[in-house]
Amino acid sequence: MFTLSQINRFLLGKPLPTSAYSHERLTNFAALAILASDALSSVAYATEEILLVLVAAGSRSLGLSLPIAGGIILLLFVITLSYRQTIRAYPQGGSAYLVAKENLGLHAGLVAAASLLIDYILTVTVSISAGIAALTSAIPALDGYTIELCLIAVVLLMVANLRGVKEAGRIFMIPTYSFIISVFVLMGLGFYKYSTGQVIATVPLLPVSQPLSLFLILRAFAAGCTALTGVEAISDGVLVFKPPEWKNARTTLLWMGGILGLMFIGITYLTQAYHIIPEEGQTTVSLLAREIFGNGFFYYFLQLATLFILLLAANTSYADFPRLSYLVSRDGFLPRQLSLLGDRLVYANGIRLLSLCAAVLIIIFKGQVNALIPLYAVGVFTSFTLSQLGMVIHWFKSKSSGWQQSAVMNGVGALTTAIVLGVIIATKFLLGAWLVVLAIPLLVILFLKIHSHYENLAKHFRDEELSPYRCPLPAPDTTIKHSAIVLVGYPNRGTLEALDYARLVAQEIVAIHVDIGTTNQAALRRRWEELEIHVPLVILDSPYRSVVQPILKFVSEFEAERPHGFSTVIIPSIVTRYWWEELLHNQTALFIRQALRSNQCRIVTTVRYYV
Amino acid sequence: MFTLSQINRFLLGKPLPTSAYSHERLTNFAALAILASDALSSVAYATEEILLVLVAAGSRSLGLSLPIAGGIILLLFVITLSYRQTIRAYPQGGSAYLVAKENLGLHAGLVAAASLLIDYILTVTVSISAGIAALTSAIPALDGYTIELCLIAVVLLMVANLRGVKEAGRIFMIPTYSFIISVFVLMGLGFYKYSTGQVIATVPLLPVSQPLSLFLILRAFAAGCTALTGVEAISDGVLVFKPPEWKNARTTLLWMGGILGLMFIGITYLTQAYHIIPEEGQTTVSLLAREIFGNGFFYYFLQLATLFILLLAANTSYADFPRLSYLVSRDGFLPRQLSLLGDRLVYANGIRLLSLCAAVLIIIFKGQVNALIPLYAVGVFTSFTLSQLGMVIHWFKSKSSGWQQSAVMNGVGALTTAIVLGVIIATKFLLGAWLVVLAIPLLVILFLKIHSHYENLAKHFRDEELSPYRCPLPAPDTTIKHSAIVLVGYPNRGTLEALDYARLVAQEIVAIHVDIGTTNQAALRRRWEELEIHVPLVILDSPYRSVVQPILKFVSEFEAERPHGFSTVIIPSIVTRYWWEELLHNQTALFIRQALRSNQCRIVTTVRYYV
């Protein structure tokens, strides 16, 4: 049999000393691959989400996907410019939590933190679900195992991150660039075939279930906005760039915006040109790729690259979530355990918490991207807005050179993202966005509760220093003795050792035995004499067969007569060789211990006897 | 908020003193209602189970149900005669466990006990499932909630039995006699309508999916044998009868056999006469009753009576299972906890265990009677066979007056039930009987393992009395002192109280603090001086951020230098007001305690500080 710690060691590797912690710096080319995977990978599902909304209004309305995508690209442009200002102002990395807390106050910071934490969880869930959808599109035989495959992906990411995956930085470039290249090849070949008139698909006629309304168009827009999730990653991670960090980060951000915009508009255009309509069991990108590439190597390569970049996107949350929860926990708004550096120099509890939340969401939403999308983007746009708004305040306060221009850019950014946030909430509220709208304030309340608990505790300890002791010790020269009560059954070797220990720690000892109607009291007393224990034995009758009540009553009365300092209750306990053997023994000791704990000045000690 | 114990009190009533335990005696009329409900209620599903097998061979083969039912009635006659002998020989109640253990030896007794325990669990599961099927047949709207309704029934029976339901004995007569009366009314009206030619149903033509083979006929017979489950109940419960107990029990057994036989053959005959064919979502009895009664009052009355007698049948297992597990546990083959009389004078743990097992089976088999039947009856017929076989030996040993006749009857009974057991296993093995065939020996192995654990422990304590002590105390006149190690963080009031306790129990004290790289060591030492603690403070560096390892190492070395008697490790612990607040504190203390426990002579004590 392996112990838990051996299994851990095997999966996670040896512990690392704190001194091994270091920062690795990345070239722009590598940083783009790692930090932009979340944003870039969204093109794998964003177009489909737009189409899925429009399809309700019949096939003619599908043409609207192109102007909607155009609007989103415009929004991307505004946000990119806005975040370039953040990078300049926060060269150490400007997460929305930090920016909002510093410039808008604590509560805004907490709202940003709550939004971001929810968003990171959803990034894992959505990315993995979309990645598995790419896989099952390519291999339809796997279609029935969506949830299982998603959970396997969560576990793999968790284990990899608990090991610490920083070393592997450069390997991560492969999926991102494979994806970018294959999407561009897809677009190139797609345009070529289209322009040379090789496209034979005709517009299928779809039933109209809903008239085309402004609301529907806005809903499609809101669904497409998921393409923008992750664009903030570069501004959060300025420190991974080589010096001059902020300049490199700004350049990379621009590149990312450009590539993302091109891919998104290209795929949306082609989807329309090739008359692709969303289908059950196949992603839109998969349908498009089969159309353009046929069922050959390129098709499978694209699907695999899609799976991997989406896993990589999920993986960025595995860096972001523990880091943010460490910051929030260090400020006292989340449990302390989230700020502990684990064996392998990662915030292990944050990684575990993220995995748990993601797994629960996957199970609830059955790993369906489509069902998760209405929840997604609410958090992102809340943090976008707060962060940009914080930046506006920042510029007004700092008044550094060129601040007016930056303030305008951030102001436009804040206004735009605020409007989009409104649109997202309004159009997707009933579809699931309400969950997030509800969860954010609840999470903030939780933060504040946790904070006040830690504060109260600290205050309590400061106040206590001056108050009198609760279990006053007798003065050193008095004759008052320390008393111990030993619980005994029918006496065996375990009982004797417990009595020995009592003799070591106490000057006055009494043994008590509870008779629930099954004890031969005379025989017990005889045996007690025989063993020459020389400790008074009290037998308590229990007509109601409760073991706990008579003990509690006796101990309380015993202590009332001896009001000084601590008393010790000693419970002998048999420790069996195997854990399952424990089940064969009465677990009353557990209840007794629980019941006796209520008194502060009573110490309950278990003396274990190993068989 | 209510505490668990308040909820318990509300649901289960006040505790009862042991002196309240008494035996209630029942008239034959009342005893029949209570003890025979299990057997009588089987007619609610037995005919249907026969038809469900025969239907595979097409509609013509359904006619075979009558001779098959006749065969089963014959079997019932043999078993009834056989059990009359048992009652005479075991007037104190002759459960198969007892009879087999006394006459065939321990292992046969354990096999009988295992079979019976499994059978009791299945009785609860099958009866509740069949009862809920009667309910959903009458109210089709409930059809989708089968599992939930079954689980509610389990919980109701559990709570009622944890309260102790003996007082309500007489109330139990209502469902049994309601059921008997309504079945006889059904039969009377059914025969009248049939004989006056009012039956208009025609034989529907069913597809033949399997040729009619001997195997199929035997399988139908095996399925119908579930009608016989529960006939042993009267011989187990002789003591509830008024004196002369055994005579009254024999009379009641005969009545039960007669009523059961009549109802079974009557329903089977009518089912054939009315050309009833099993249907999804309706029981056969419900179909028949709708045919005969129409959709009126009598129909609903019968369905309700069926539900209640089946719940009552399940309830008999709630008496039998805890009683048998008490007996087996008293003999040391099941955990001791099963032999403890609870607050309300019932074997509460047995009741809980039975409920848990039944609930699990209901969930696995989705509350479908049909799926459970192949498992049922294997246990019953195993215990029948062993019990009758034991009786044969009993008669040969005792040679009391008329023993030859009784031995012949029991011998015929044993042979017959053994053959039927063979048929049941052979025909239903692959359908699920293998589960029970596997479970019985596994359970017996478990019994033996548990027994050997208790035996070893008793032997261990006998041997230990002679061996030297493991933690030898120093001689009273030596100067060796008792040592305590106190674990400290940044010192607060809790730390100080823990140190006070250490001063009370030990003569040599050392405090240790683990620095995982976050301690300001100088500040800690300064504070230590300020507080005038006067106990040496050792700070342990932990470059790998493990708290447990350095403590374990230090304590082991410390103890190695002081090889006499016990040492005490004191862990201060903060107790928060609400349980959820505990989650906000580091749970390392738990791991430390776990790790330190490995040494027998080391006592780990927690000193709690209440905030």
Side-chain angles (χ1 to χ4, degrees):
Chain A
M1 290 283 292
F2 295 104
T3 66
L4 195 64
S5 94
Q6 281 172 315
I7 294 171
N8 260 341
R9 196 92 321 149
F10 174 74
L11 285 176
L12 310 181
K14 282 196 216 132
L16 296 172
T18 314
S19 55
Y21 204 90
S22 75
H23 265 301
E24 204 185 353
R25 296 302 177 114
L26 300 175
T27 62
N28 290 2
F29 190 68
L32 177 71
I34 292 170
L35 296 175
S37 61
D38 181 9
L40 296 178
S41 66
S42 338
V43 302
Y45 50 81
T47 303
E48 177 167 356
E49 294 307 323
I50 297 176
L51 294 179
L52 277 172
V53 176
L54 292 176
V55 90
S59 25
R60 274 162 196 244
S61 65
L62 292 182
L64 281 170
S65 60
L66 207 55
I68 288 173
I72 292 168
I73 301 282
L74 208 66
L75 183 58
L76 171 65
F77 182 69
V78 172
I79 295 175
T80 307
L81 283 190
S82 192
Y83 265 104
R84 277 171 61 94
Q85 315 312 316
T86 311
I87 291 175
R88 187 155 68 92
Y90 286 88
Q92 302 294 310
S95 109
Y97 172 56
L98 206 70
V99 175
K101 199 176 65 164
E102 270 191 17
N103 299 298
L104 301 175
L106 178 63
H107 287 83
L110 293 179
V111 172
S115 320
L116 281 172
L117 289 176
I118 291 172
D119 182 49
Y120 292 147
I121 296 167
L122 283 166
T123 298
V124 173
T125 320
V126 169
S127 299
I128 286 180
S129 302
I132 298 302
L135 182 66
T136 56
S137 296
I139 311 171
L142 294 175
D143 207 16
Y145 304 96
T146 302
I147 297 177
E148 289 85 348
L149 289 168
C150 288
L151 293 178
I152 290 172
V154 170
V155 171
L156 285 179
L157 284 176
M158 182 179 76
V159 170
N161 280 282
L162 286 175
R163 275 195 83 101
V165 282
K166 290 213 184 66
E167 313 90 312
R170 250 152 279 269
I171 292 180
F172 287 175
M173 293 159 56
I174 299 173
T176 306
Y177 286 109
S178 300
F179 181 72
I180 295 176
I181 290 168
S182 44
V183 169
F184 275 95
V185 171
L186 178 77
M187 296 194 302
L189 191 61
F191 282 118
Y192 172 75
K193 280 196 177 174
Y194 182 65
S195 58
T196 54
Q198 296 179 43
V199 183
I200 44 163
T202 50
V203 194
L205 222 63
L206 292 174
V208 180
S209 67
Q210 227 178 320
L212 185 67
S213 60
L214 180 64
F215 183 77
L216 201 72
I217 295 172
L218 286 177
R219 191 140 77 79
F221 172 78
C225 281
T226 49
L228 303 185
T229 54
V231 297
E232 80 290 358
I234 288 179
S235 80
D236 289 359
V238 180
L239 278 188
V240 309
F241 288 90
K242 292 200 166 141
E245 290 89 353
W246 71 273
K247 283 209 169 172
N248 281 323
R250 286 179 75 152
T251 313
T252 311
L253 181 62
L254 219 55
W255 271 98
M256 186 200 76
I259 296 172
L260 172 58
L262 268 178
M263 294 202 301
F264 183 41
I265 203 81
I267 287 180
T268 308
Y269 180 80
L270 285 176
T271 311
Q272 205 192 324
Y274 282 76
H275 303 303
I276 303 292
I277 287 174
E279 248 177 48
E280 195 78 8
Q282 278 234 43
T283 66
T284 302
V285 173
S286 163
L287 289 168
L288 182 66
R290 276 196 213 267
E291 216 41 71
I292 294 173
F293 289 146
N295 252 332
F297 167 80
F298 271 115
Y299 168 74
Y300 288 103
F301 185 81
L302 172 65
Q303 291 305 106
L304 213 64
T306 308
L307 167 63
F308 280 114
I309 195 177
L310 281 161
L311 290 182
L312 191 53
N315 192 62
T316 56
S317 282
Y318 271 90
D320 295 336
F321 184 95
R323 193 185 333 113
L324 180 58
S325 54
Y326 157 74
L327 289 173
V328 177
S329 142
R330 204 191 47 183
D331 292 347
F333 295 99
L334 272 175
R336 290 276 154 79
Q337 290 95 315
L338 290 170
S339 67
L340 293 176
L341 212 52
D343 267 5
R344 295 280 301 176
L345 292 174
V346 293
Y347 297 107
N349 289 325
I351 292 170
R352 293 189 191 107
L353 182 63
L354 174 63
S355 305
L356 181 71
C357 295
V360 168
L361 281 184
I362 285 170
I363 292 168
I364 293 177
F365 289 94
K366 303 202 172 86
Q368 297 303 314
V369 180
N370 193 11
L372 286 159
I373 287 295
L375 282 71
Y376 205 29
V378 176
V380 189
F381 276 86
T382 306
S383 73
F384 279 172
T385 308
L386 286 170
S387 162
Q388 305 313 312
L389 207 60
M391 286 309 299
V392 175
I393 308 290
H394 171 85
W395 296 122
F396 269 88
K397 278 199 226 155
S398 80
K399 298 207 196 308
S400 57
S401 81
W403 70 271
Q404 294 98 333
Q405 198 196 340
S406 293
V408 168
M409 283 193 199
N410 281 133
V412 172
L415 192 68
T416 319
T417 50
I419 293 170
V420 173
L421 177 61
V423 170
I424 292 174
I425 293 176
T427 56
K428 307 204 283 187
F429 191 78
L430 293 175
L431 296 171
W434 64 271
L435 268 169
V436 180
V437 172
L438 201 70
I440 291 174
L442 286 179
L443 211 48
V444 171
I445 291 171
L446 181 70
F447 289 160
L448 293 171
K449 278 253 174 203
I450 288 173
H451 191 69
S452 84
H453 168 78
Y454 285 129
E455 286 293 301
N456 285 341
L457 202 66
K459 182 174 173 305
H460 178 86
F461 279 124
R462 278 195 304 277
D463 295 350
E464 274 285 305
E465 264 180 41
L466 308 165
S467 67
Y469 270 51
R470 304 195 208 185
C471 312
L473 291 182
D477 54 331
T478 57
T479 55
I480 292 171
K481 295 174 282 187
H482 177 216
S483 314
I485 300 166
V486 185
L487 311 186
V488 299
Y490 192 76
N492 59 32
R493 188 60 174 271
T495 321
L496 298 183
E497 303 222 339
L499 287 163
D500 274 345
Y501 181 70
R503 287 193 192 96
L504 204 57
V505 300
Q507 288 79 50
E508 182 189 13
I509 307 171
V510 61
I512 56 178
H513 173 101
V514 179
D515 177 6
I516 59 167
T518 54
T519 306
N520 181 340
Q521 298 200 7
L524 174 61
R525 291 216 177 271
R526 208 158 45 238
R527 181 84 183 127
W528 197 258
E529 292 300 321
E530 252 173 50
L531 289 168
E532 301 186 352
I533 291 174
H534 303 306
V535 162
L537 171 67
V538 178
I539 299 180
L540 306 170
D541 278 314
S542 176
Y544 288 85
R545 297 170 311 288
S546 160
V547 178
V548 177
Q549 288 307 318
I551 292 177
L552 201 56
K553 184 159 166 287
F554 178 87
V555 171
S556 305
E557 287 170 5
F558 183 87
E559 287 171 342
E561 295 165 18
R562 293 159 184 79
H564 278 283
F566 296 93
S567 66
T568 301
V569 178
I570 296 175
I571 306 178
S573 152
I574 287 173
V575 179
T576 50
R577 210 163 333 187
Y578 306 106
W579 67 265
W580 63 266
E581 291 183 335
E582 298 275 345
L583 298 177
L584 301 180
H585 295 275
N586 205 326
Q587 303 303 310
T588 329
L590 207 73
F591 297 109
I592 298 175
R593 222 172 303 153
Q594 201 64 43
L596 288 174
R597 267 181 195 169
S598 57
N599 184 333
Q600 155 123 41
C601 302
R602 181 190 298 147
I603 307 295
V604 183
T605 295
T606 306
V607 174
R608 270 155 231 286
Y609 178 76
Y610 289 73
V611 175
Chain B
M1 288 285 291
F2 296 103
T3 66
L4 195 63
S5 93
Q6 281 173 316
I7 295 171
N8 259 340
R9 196 93 319 149
F10 175 74
L11 284 176
L12 310 181
K14 283 197 216 128
L16 296 172
T18 314
S19 55
Y21 202 91
S22 76
H23 266 301
E24 206 185 352
R25 296 304 178 113
L26 300 175
T27 62
N28 290 1
F29 189 67
L32 177 71
I34 291 170
L35 295 175
S37 61
D38 181 10
L40 297 178
S41 66
S42 337
V43 301
Y45 50 81
T47 302
E48 178 167 354
E49 294 306 323
I50 297 177
L51 294 180
L52 276 172
V53 176
L54 292 176
V55 91
S59 24
R60 274 161 197 244
S61 65
L62 292 181
L64 280 170
S65 61
L66 208 55
I68 288 172
I72 292 169
I73 301 283
L74 208 67
L75 182 58
L76 171 65
F77 182 69
V78 171
I79 295 175
T80 307
L81 283 190
S82 192
Y83 264 104
R84 277 170 60 91
Q85 315 313 315
T86 310
I87 291 174
R88 187 155 67 91
Y90 286 88
Q92 302 296 308
S95 108
Y97 172 55
L98 206 71
V99 175
K101 198 176 65 165
E102 270 192 17
N103 299 297
L104 301 173
L106 178 64
H107 286 84
L110 293 179
V111 172
S115 319
L116 280 173
L117 289 175
I118 290 172
D119 182 50
Y120 293 146
I121 296 167
L122 283 166
T123 297
V124 173
T125 319
V126 170
S127 298
I128 286 180
S129 302
I132 298 302
L135 181 67
T136 55
S137 296
I139 310 171
L142 294 175
D143 208 16
Y145 304 97
T146 303
I147 297 177
E148 289 85 348
L149 289 168
C150 288
L151 293 178
I152 289 171
V154 170
V155 171
L156 285 180
L157 284 175
M158 182 178 76
V159 170
N161 280 282
L162 286 174
R163 274 195 84 100
V165 283
K166 289 213 185 67
E167 314 90 310
R170 250 152 279 269
I171 292 180
F172 287 175
M173 292 159 56
I174 299 173
T176 306
Y177 286 110
S178 300
F179 181 72
I180 295 176
I181 291 168
S182 44
V183 169
F184 274 95
V185 170
L186 178 77
M187 294 195 302
L189 191 62
F191 281 118
Y192 172 76
K193 279 198 176 174
Y194 182 65
S195 58
T196 54
Q198 295 178 46
V199 183
I200 45 161
T202 50
V203 194
L205 222 62
L206 292 174
V208 180
S209 67
Q210 226 177 320
L212 186 67
S213 59
L214 180 64
F215 183 79
L216 201 72
I217 296 173
L218 286 176
R219 191 140 78 78
F221 172 79
C225 281
T226 49
L228 304 184
T229 54
V231 299
E232 80 289 357
I234 289 178
S235 79
D236 289 357
V238 180
L239 278 188
V240 309
F241 287 90
K242 291 202 166 136
E245 290 87 354
W246 71 273
K247 282 208 169 171
N248 281 322
R250 285 179 75 152
T251 313
T252 310
L253 180 62
L254 219 55
W255 270 98
M256 186 199 75
I259 295 172
L260 173 58
L262 268 176
M263 294 202 300
F264 183 41
I265 202 83
I267 286 180
T268 308
Y269 180 80
L270 284 175
T271 310
Q272 207 193 324
Y274 282 76
H275 303 304
I276 303 293
I277 287 174
E279 248 177 46
E280 194 77 10
Q282 279 234 42
T283 66
T284 303
V285 173
S286 163
L287 288 169
L288 182 65
R290 277 197 211 265
E291 242 359 279
I292 294 173
F293 288 146
N295 252 332
F297 167 79
F298 272 114
Y299 167 75
Y300 288 102
F301 185 81
L302 172 66
Q303 291 305 107
L304 213 63
T306 309
L307 168 63
F308 281 114
I309 195 178
L310 281 161
L311 290 182
L312 191 53
N315 192 62
T316 56
S317 283
Y318 272 90
D320 296 337
F321 184 94
R323 194 186 330 114
L324 180 59
S325 53
Y326 158 74
L327 290 172
V328 177
S329 142
R330 205 189 46 184
D331 292 348
F333 294 100
L334 271 175
R336 290 277 154 79
Q337 291 96 315
L338 290 170
S339 67
L340 294 177
L341 213 51
D343 265 5
R344 298 278 301 175
L345 293 172
V346 292
Y347 297 107
N349 289 325
I351 292 171
R352 293 191 190 105
L353 182 63
L354 173 62
S355 305
L356 180 73
C357 295
V360 168
L361 281 184
I362 284 170
I363 292 169
I364 294 178
F365 289 94
K366 304 200 170 85
Q368 298 303 313
V369 181
N370 193 11
L372 286 158
I373 288 295
L375 282 70
Y376 206 28
V378 175
V380 190
F381 277 85
T382 305
S383 73
F384 278 171
T385 308
L386 286 170
S387 163
Q388 306 313 313
L389 207 60
M391 287 310 299
V392 175
I393 307 290
H394 171 86
W395 297 122
F396 269 88
K397 279 199 222 151
S398 80
K399 297 208 194 318
S400 55
S401 81
W403 70 271
Q404 294 97 335
Q405 198 195 339
S406 293
V408 168
M409 283 196 202
N410 282 132
V412 171
L415 191 68
T416 318
T417 51
I419 291 170
V420 173
L421 177 62
V423 169
I424 291 173
I425 293 177
T427 57
K428 306 205 284 186
F429 192 78
L430 292 177
L431 295 171
W434 64 270
L435 268 168
V436 180
V437 172
L438 201 70
I440 291 174
L442 285 180
L443 211 48
V444 171
I445 291 171
L446 181 69
F447 290 159
L448 293 171
K449 278 255 173 200
I450 289 172
H451 190 68
S452 84
H453 168 79
Y454 285 128
E455 286 293 302
N456 284 341
L457 202 64
K459 183 174 173 304
H460 178 86
F461 280 124
R462 280 196 303 276
D463 294 350
E464 274 286 304
E465 265 180 42
L466 310 165
S467 67
Y469 271 49
R470 302 196 209 187
C471 312
L473 292 182
D477 54 332
T478 57
T479 55
I480 291 171
K481 297 173 283 185
H482 177 215
S483 315
I485 299 165
V486 184
L487 310 187
V488 297
Y490 192 76
N492 58 32
R493 190 58 174 271
T495 321
L496 297 182
E497 303 223 339
L499 286 163
D500 275 343
Y501 183 70
R503 287 193 192 95
L504 204 58
V505 300
Q507 288 78 49
E508 183 189 11
I509 307 171
V510 61
I512 56 177
H513 172 98
V514 178
D515 177 6
I516 58 166
T518 53
T519 306
N520 181 341
Q521 298 201 6
L524 174 61
R525 290 215 177 271
R526 208 158 44 237
R527 181 86 184 128
W528 199 257
E529 291 302 320
E530 250 172 52
L531 290 168
E532 300 186 352
I533 293 174
H534 303 306
V535 161
L537 171 67
V538 177
I539 299 180
L540 304 171
D541 279 313
S542 176
Y544 288 86
R545 295 169 313 286
S546 160
V547 178
V548 177
Q549 287 309 318
I551 292 177
L552 201 57
K553 184 159 166 287
F554 178 87
V555 171
S556 304
E557 287 169 6
F558 182 87
E559 286 171 342
E561 293 165 17
R562 294 156 185 80
H564 278 284
F566 295 93
S567 66
T568 301
V569 178
I570 295 174
I571 305 179
S573 152
I574 287 174
V575 179
T576 50
R577 211 165 328 194
Y578 306 107
W579 66 266
W580 62 266
E581 292 182 336
E582 298 274 344
L583 298 178
L584 301 181
H585 295 275
N586 205 326
Q587 302 303 310
T588 330
L590 207 74
F591 297 108
I592 297 174
R593 221 172 304 154
Q594 202 64 43
L596 287 173
R597 267 180 194 167
S598 58
N599 184 334
Q600 156 123 41
C601 301
R602 178 190 301 148
I603 307 295
V604 183
T605 294
T606 305
V607 174
R608 268 156 234 287
Y609 178 77
Y610 290 73
V611 175

